[in-house]
Structures are given as structure tokens and as C-alpha cells.
């Protein structure tokens, strides 16, 4: 990666595995104990592996090994002392810990356990992503520093972090925002924050995010019954349903009335404005992350349901990625891929020259926006039923994205960025209602907007600003947001149709993203460049959803 020093982030770690949360499939005859013996590895002892002191970490690793070996000795008498949680923790460390000594020791301990007759879990995926080769994500390199920092701070390195680590400067500010949203003092209790995110992730059928936040919800002391269905959650949380579905699928329909129903004096239960803005940011943040998870084809974590098994799969049951409704595999032939890069670079240069020489009238700019907004870009039309894991967490599953401007229909009024923008309006409102959160979000938007390595596929020293701007403004166009000073004719020039299909699917129907449409665009670009595009789409979608809601809150306050 062509970037400078790795930005640092420091904050208190989340808790580790909670024995109440048992995830996974398969069974084992020798690890199903209801509780671990006192001499077995505990959450606390496993967490010591995250010490910043190298000697303390080495000592913790030795003690962990000793305890597990003692457990294995005791197991000879038929006392199953190694719990599923311990085995899955070892599996996770063996697969994703960036510290080589910890990773190798965890692998060794699992092998010893297997030799002793313990059925050990095996990961079903070969790497973090079903779309990106594992060798491109699991390399020892510059991004390793931020992965180590993440492990020491959070106690684990998940697939999301490993993919985002292709862009360390973005990952650093993303993790700070995550920490502020879920861990710092705020109006919502910590377990509620994670449950709101569970509700949000369920809208996009995103089992990955549902499991991540379900685990954190339990660790924060949440009531496990809530996870069996939204009907078990408090009425106050359930009252977010309408806002959640609109934020996820059609944020331009959010009005002052929706805000008033939640925060006015007669509302029952009543949300404070601070609580509501916290919940709104959590939902929008999670919706956009679902786009990234699906858009990068993230595989389940080794300790997620669908991420491991205790029995080797038979040849007829080779695990497939859950990230394609049609389970599409394969990659198109790279025919003329290099030519496409050359054509795109030529278009970028010509466009810049044309914009310097020509000046469009405001009427022509509006016409080009409307033409772009109403363009027919096909995406999957069949939306499958929610997976069993999220079934009880979704109300009105049939409600989904519809084009802002369906052909032949009267569309909602366009939001002009000059009338309500993040910089001039949204930022200050968030800062006032949820101090410092506006700053964290603004940093994310700034970093992703300015992120560049001045290269394109096999070419170096390339100014990619116009391409990045076209991506950002195309997403906002899909969400009905228009910039008066932007020529939307640039979008058709710079974004090929296969890229538009991918971007629209990822932003509007993320659960329909497939390997085929991921591989169909930018066929000679690096995977890190495609992840960069995904980051732009994710943040542009987040800002668009926030702008509509913040505008409605502003109207209510006035």
C-alpha cells in the first residue's frame, strides 16, 4: 500500500466471549460441557493475550497452553472440560490473530486436542472474503501494524477489519467512530445500541452483522430473549420500526411527522432528541456497513453460525458463500480489460479538458441530473425470504428499495445539496445533539473523499479525483440528492454500466450482490481499488440517509 505511517487508535477493549452465546452448527461428543472447570481457560485469561506488554503476552500464552493441556489430560477420564466457546476461540485465534506466535500456538493446541480424540471445529471459509483471494488479505505487510493494534485493543480481528485494512487510514478513523458509537458515554445504554444495530442489519438480511451485534449485545448484559424476535424487545425500541425501514430502503420518505411521533410530549414511549439522533446514526451506520459486507462478499467469522463445522464436509456438501442469493460463482474472462483501463483514463483527461473549455447552463445541468436519476439500471428483482437467523427480527420484510424516480410516476422532490448539506447543516446538528459524533463522522467523510494512492490498475501518478467524485455523486443521485454545480453527464462518461449495476445493487439492494457482478467491473483493477470504491459507496449512502433524517429533525425543532 502506498501510504505513510499507520495512524494509531487507542481505546478500551470490548469484552470477550460470553458463555451464554453459543453459535455454530455441528456437535461434538467431548466438548459439550455447560460450564468450564476453574482450571480451564476463561474469558479473562484469554483476554490477557491482548496485553501490550510482550512478556506478559508470552506468559499468558504459556498459561493458556498449560490449562488446555491439563484439560485434555482430565478429558481422558471422560470429563469433557473444553467447552465449545474455548474451542471456537482457539479456532478464531488460529485463523485471524495477526500475532504469529499466538496464531501458531492456537493452531498447535487444536491439533493436540484433535489427536487426543476431541472433535475440534474447522473453518468453512478459506479467507475473510468470498470475492477477494485470501492471499491478498492475509499478507505480512504494512497493513499488519493496524491489524495488530486492532487485536490488542479489541481482542479480535474480524473479517470486516481485515478487508478494511487494505486502507489503513480509513480503518483507523472508522474504528474510532465505532468505538464512540458503541462504547463512549451517550444517551442510549450499551446493550440497546447493539440491539438497534441488530434491527438495522436484519433489514438487509445481513447475518454477519446480526451475529456480530448479537454477541456484543449479550456481552453488554442484554436480554437473550430479545434476539429470538423483535416482539420480545421493549415497546420503545420497537417504535423505531418505521424509521428503520425508511432509513434502510427509502430515506427520502422520512418527514417531520415521523420525528414528531417519536419525540413529541404526547409520544408514548417518548424518545429524547439526543436518544433519537444516537439511534438514527446507529441504524444508518449499520445499514451502510451491510452494503460493505455484502459488497465485499465477507464470509462468516470462524465462530459464527455457518462459519465452522465439527465434521468434515462430504464432497456433495462443499460449503458455498452465503453472499450470493443465486450462489453465482466464477469470474468473467478478462477480455480487453487492459483496454478498458486505457479508455477510462483517456475519458478522465478529456472530461477535465472539456469542463475547463465549456460551461453548461443551469437548465442543462438539471436536465442531465434528471436523465441520470431516471436511468434504468437493472438489479435483481427477486428478493429471497430473510434467513432463519434474522426472520424474527424483521417486520414488513416485503418493504424494500424502490427507485427514487420510477419511470412514468411522479417522484418526490429532489433534495438540493445547496439547501441542506452535511457541511452547512447536518454536522452542527449532530454536534449539538450528540457531542463529538459530528466530528467523528466528518472525519470519515473527509478521509474517504480524499483517499487516493494516485494510481489506477497498472498505472501510477494518476489523478483519480473525477472518478471518485462521480461515484459519490452517483450514489447521492440514486437517493435524490442534486449538486447544482456538478455536471451529471460526467457519470455516464466515467462509470461503465457494469460498475453502475454493482454500485446500485450494493447501495440499494446489498443482499442481492453476487460474485459475478463484483468481478464484472474494473476487471484489471486491484481488489484494493474495488474495496476503495466500496468504501466510497458505503460512506455516500450513509451521508445521504443521514441528510434526509437530519433535515426532518431540523424542521421539527424549528
Amino acid at each position: 500500500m502506498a501510504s505513510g505511517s499507520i495512524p494509531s487508535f487507542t481505546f478500551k477493549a470490548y469484552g470477550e466471549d460470553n458463555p451464554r452465546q453459543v453459535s455454530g452448527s455441528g456437535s461434538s461428543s467431548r466438548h459439550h460441557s455447560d460450564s468450564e472447570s476453574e482450571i480451564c481457560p476463561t474469558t479473562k485469561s484469554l483476554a490477557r493475550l491482548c496485553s501490550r506488554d510482550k512478556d506478559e503476552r508470552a506468559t499468558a500464552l504459556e498459561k493458556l497452553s498449560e490449562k488446555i493441556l491439563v484439560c485434555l489430560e482430565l478429558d481422558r477420564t471422560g470429563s469433557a472440560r473444553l467447552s465449545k466457546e474455548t474451542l471456537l476461540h482457539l479456532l478464531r485465534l488460529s485463523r485471524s490473530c495477526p500475532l504469529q506466535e499466538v496464531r501458531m500456538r492456537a493452531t498447535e493446541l487444536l491439533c493436540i486436542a484433535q489427536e487426543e480424540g476431541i472433535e475440534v471445529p474447522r473453518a468453512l471459509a478459506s479467507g475473510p472474503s468470498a470475492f477477494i483471494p485470501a492471499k491478498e488479505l492475509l499478507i505480512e505487510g504494512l497493513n499488519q501494524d493496524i491489524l495488530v493494534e486492532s487485536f490488542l485493543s479489541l481482542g479480535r480481528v474480524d473479517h470486516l477489519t481485515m478487508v478494511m485494512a487494505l486502507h489503513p487510514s480509513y480503518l483507523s478513523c472508522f474504528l474510532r467512530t465505532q468505538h464512540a458509537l458503541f462504547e463512549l458515554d451517550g444517551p442510549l445504554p450499551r446493550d440497546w445500541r447493539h440491539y438497534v444495530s441488530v434491527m438495522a442489519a436484519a433489514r438487509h438480511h445481513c447475518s454477519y452483522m446480526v451475529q456480530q451485534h448479537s454477541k456484543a449485545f449479550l456481552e453488554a448484559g442484554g436480554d437473550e430473549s430479545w434476539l429470538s424476535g423483535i416482539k420480545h424487545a421493549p415497546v420503545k425500541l420497537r417504535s423505531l420500526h418505521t424509521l428503520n425501514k425508511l432509513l434502510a430502503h427509502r430515506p427520502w420518505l422520512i418527514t417531520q411527522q415521523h420525528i414528531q411521533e417519536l419525540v413529541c410530549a404526547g409520544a408514548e414511549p417518548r424518545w429524547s432528541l439526543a436518544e433519537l439522533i444516537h439511534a438514527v446514526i446507529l441504524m444508518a451506520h449499520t445499514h451502510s456497513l451491510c452494503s460493505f459486507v455484502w459488497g465485499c462478499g465477507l464470509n462468516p467469522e470462524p465462530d459464527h453460525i455457518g462459519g465452522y463445522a465439527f465434521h468434515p464436509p462430504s464432497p456433495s456438501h462443499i460449503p458455498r458463500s452465503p453472499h450470493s442469493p443465486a450462489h453465482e460463482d466464477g469470474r468473467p474472462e478478462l477480455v480487453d480489460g487492459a483496454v478498458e483501463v486505457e479508455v477510462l483514463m483517456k475519458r478522465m483527461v478529456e472530461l477535465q479538458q472539456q469542463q475547463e473549455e465549456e460551461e453548461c447552463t443551469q437548465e442543462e445541468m438539471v436536465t442531465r441530473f434528471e436523465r441520470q436519476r431516471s436511468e434504468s439500471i437493472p438489479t435483481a428483482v427477486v428478493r429471497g425470504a430473510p434467513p432463519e437467523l434474522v426472520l424474527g427480527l424483521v417486520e414488513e420484510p416485503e418493504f424494500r428499495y424502490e427507485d427514487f424516480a420510477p419511470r412514468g410516476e411522479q417522484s418526490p422532490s429532489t433534495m438540493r445539496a445547496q439547501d441542506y448539506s452535511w457541511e452547512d447543516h447536518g454536522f452542527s446538528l449532530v454536534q449539538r445533539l450528540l457531542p463529538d459524533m459530528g466530528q467523528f463522522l466528518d472525519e470519515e467523510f473527509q478521509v474517504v473523499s480524499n483517499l487516493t494512492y494516485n494510481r489506477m490498475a497498472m498505472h501510477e501518478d494518476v489523478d483519480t479525483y473525477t472518478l471518485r467524485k462521480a461515484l459519490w455523486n452517483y450514489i447521492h443521485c440514486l437517493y435524490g440528492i442534486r449538486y447544482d454545480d456538478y455536471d451529471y453527464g460526467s457519470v455516464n462518461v466515467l462509470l461503465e454500466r457494469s460498475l453502475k449495476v454493482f454500485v446500485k445493487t450494493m447501495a440499494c439492494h446489498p443482499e442481492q450482490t453476487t460474485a459475478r457482478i463484483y468481478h464484472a467491473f474494473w476487471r484489471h483493477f486491484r481488489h484494493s481499488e474495488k474495496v476503495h470504491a466500496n468504501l466510497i459507496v458505503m460512506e455516500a449512502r450513509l451521508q445521504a440517509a443521514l441528510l434526509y433524517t437530519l433535515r426532518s429533525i431540523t424542521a421539527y425543532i424549528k
Side-chain angles (χ1 to χ4, degrees):
M1 301 297 294
S3 62
S5 60
I6 297 297
S8 63
F9 56 94
T10 303
F11 39 81
K12 184 179 178 181
Y14 292 162
E16 287 297 309
D17 286 348
N18 188 316
R20 291 176 296 172
Q21 173 75 344
V22 177
S23 62
S25 57
S27 61
S28 169
S29 59
R30 299 191 60 197
H31 68 266
H32 284 175
S33 56
D34 292 331
S35 61
E36 296 186 19
S37 165
E38 289 183 1
I39 61 173
C40 270
T42 63
T43 294
K44 189 173 181 180
S45 64
L46 290 167
R48 292 194 184 102
L49 293 176
C50 304
S51 171
R52 294 182 179 277
D53 184 287
K54 189 174 182 180
D55 293 335
E56 186 177 340
R57 203 163 59 236
T59 300
L61 191 58
E62 290 305 318
K63 288 184 177 179
L64 170 65
S65 301
E66 291 172 6
K67 287 181 178 181
I68 288 179
L69 291 174
V70 168
C71 290
L72 292 175
E73 288 293 324
L74 292 173
D75 271 349
R76 292 173 192 267
T77 65
S79 174
R81 309 260 178 154
L82 278 180
S83 72
K84 177 186 283 188
E85 287 71 30
T86 297
L87 289 167
L88 289 176
H89 197 114
L90 288 174
L91 176 63
R92 192 174 72 222
L93 289 173
S94 72
R95 299 283 299 182
S96 62
C97 181
L99 299 172
Q100 186 179 23
E101 67 275 14
V102 175
R103 188 170 65 247
M104 292 181 66
R105 184 65 62 87
T107 302
E108 179 185 350
L109 290 170
L110 285 173
C111 289
I112 293 173
Q114 188 170 33
E115 290 170 358
E116 291 295 323
I118 302 291
E119 285 187 332
V120 301
R122 60 184 297 276
L124 294 180
S126 60
S129 167
F131 300 166
I132 306 171
K135 63 183 180 181
E136 296 197 24
L137 297 170
L138 304 177
I139 57 173
E140 301 284 338
L142 189 59
N143 59 353
Q144 199 72 6
D145 293 341
I146 199 166
L147 292 179
V148 170
E149 180 62 35
S150 179
F151 177 76
L152 298 179
S153 298
L154 301 174
R156 66 183 293 163
V157 175
D158 57 26
H159 292 167
L160 183 72
T161 302
M162 294 170 80
V163 174
M164 281 190 182
L166 291 170
H167 302 282
S169 59
Y170 175 81
L171 175 59
S172 182
C173 72
F174 170 82
L175 290 173
R176 285 194 291 271
T177 302
Q178 279 268 104
H179 178 66
L181 269 177
F182 294 101
E183 290 299 301
L184 294 185
D185 290 340
L188 294 181
R190 286 173 177 78
D191 58 334
W192 278 40
R193 301 179 198 189
H194 289 289
Y195 195 77
V196 168
S197 288
V198 167
M199 292 168 58
R203 289 294 335 167
H204 286 309
H205 303 181
C206 189
S207 299
Y208 180 94
M209 293 297 293
V210 167
Q211 291 193 74
Q212 290 285 78
H213 286 289
S214 294
K215 176 182 173 61
F217 168 74
L218 293 174
E219 290 172 354
D223 184 337
E224 192 168 5
S225 68
W226 298 7
L227 297 176
S228 61
I230 196 170
K231 62 184 179 182
H232 300 292
V235 174
K236 185 169 181 176
L237 281 171
R238 299 206 305 271
S239 69
L240 291 174
H241 162 65
T242 298
L243 204 54
N244 183 28
K245 75 174 185 180
L246 292 178
L247 267 171
H249 307 296
R250 302 176 216 168
W252 52 86
L253 297 181
I254 296 172
T255 66
Q256 176 183 341
Q257 182 65 27
H258 292 115
I259 306 303
Q260 185 173 330
E261 289 172 357
L262 294 169
V263 302
C264 72
E268 184 58 40
R270 183 183 181 185
W271 288 77
S272 71
L273 278 172
E275 289 175 329
L276 184 61
I277 198 69
H278 197 175
V280 163
I281 295 172
L282 285 166
M283 288 186 287
H285 173 82
T286 304
H287 295 149
S288 64
L289 266 181
C290 289
S291 284
F292 186 82
V293 168
W294 286 111
C296 292
L298 293 196
N299 286 316
E301 297 292 326
D303 54 352
H304 276 184
I305 293 173
Y308 70 91
F310 280 94
H311 300 289
S314 64
S316 61
H317 292 86
I318 301 299
R320 293 175 179 264
S321 166
H323 298 283
S324 167
H327 297 303
E328 296 179 5
D329 298 309
R331 176 172 183 155
E333 292 294 320
L334 300 184
V335 179
D336 296 328
V339 175
E340 289 178 353
V341 178
E342 301 293 341
V343 170
L344 178 56
M345 290 185 62
K346 183 179 179 182
R347 286 178 177 177
M348 290 168 64
V349 173
E350 291 176 346
L351 183 64
Q352 194 166 3
Q353 292 173 344
Q354 180 183 338
Q355 290 174 342
E356 291 173 356
E357 297 170 0
E358 299 180 8
E359 188 171 335
C360 291
T361 64
Q362 190 60 41
E363 291 75 12
E364 178 61 23
M365 299 275 264
V366 172
T367 299
R368 292 179 181 182
F369 169 81
E370 294 296 340
R371 188 182 301 133
Q372 191 62 57
R373 187 179 73 162
S374 60
E375 181 186 22
S376 178
I377 296 294
T379 54
V381 294
V382 179
R383 189 184 195 216
E388 186 177 350
L389 185 66
V390 304
L391 194 57
L393 299 166
V394 182
E395 293 181 303
E396 294 186 76
E398 70 282 357
F399 188 90
R400 59 177 181 169
Y401 174 88
E402 290 184 356
D403 285 343
F404 182 85
R407 287 182 178 272
E409 297 182 19
Q410 185 175 0
S411 63
S413 59
T414 298
M415 177 190 279
R416 294 175 68 246
Q418 283 70 15
D419 295 336
Y420 199 93
S421 68
W422 169 257
E423 294 81 6
D424 297 332
H425 307 90
F427 171 79
S428 57
L429 180 62
V430 173
Q431 279 291 92
R432 177 154 63 96
L433 296 177
L434 200 61
D436 297 329
M437 185 50 63
Q439 194 64 50
F440 285 118
L441 290 170
D442 191 62
E443 182 185 11
E444 269 192 37
F445 296 147
Q446 291 292 330
V447 168
V448 82
S449 295
N450 297 322
L451 186 63
T452 181
Y453 303 95
N454 296 309
R455 69 186 180 207
M456 183 180 292
M458 66 290 293
H459 299 279
E460 303 289 340
D461 300 320
V462 180
D463 183 355
T464 61
Y465 173 78
T466 55
L467 181 58
R468 289 180 280 122
K469 188 70 171 176
L471 269 173
W472 183 279
N473 286 357
Y474 178 59
I475 296 301
H476 278 201
C477 178
L478 292 175
Y479 279 78
I481 298 174
R482 176 167 64 86
Y483 295 85
D484 287 347
D485 58 351
Y486 184 74
D487 179 3
Y488 286 86
S490 305
V491 172
N492 277 340
V493 173
L494 299 178
L495 307 188
E496 57 171 328
R497 191 168 182 81
S498 59
L499 174 56
K500 282 185 175 180
V501 170
F502 174 79
V503 165
K504 183 176 180 180
T505 302
M506 178 185 161
C508 306
H509 309 277
E511 60 276 12
Q512 299 294 332
T513 307
T514 66
R516 185 176 299 279
I517 63 174
Y518 172 87
H519 290 303
F521 78 96
W522 286 3
R523 293 174 295 174
H524 257 44
F525 283 62
R526 300 173 177 88
H527 285 286
S528 63
E529 291 172 306
K530 292 193 172 190
V531 172
H532 186 178
N534 287 358
L535 292 176
I536 293 173
V537 174
M538 177 180 78
E539 291 293 337
R541 177 191 173 173
L542 169 61
Q543 189 181 97
L546 286 178
L547 284 175
Y548 281 109
T549 316
L550 295 174
R551 182 179 67 170
S552 296
I553 292 175
T554 299
Y556 170 78
I557 293 174
K558 290 181 177 179

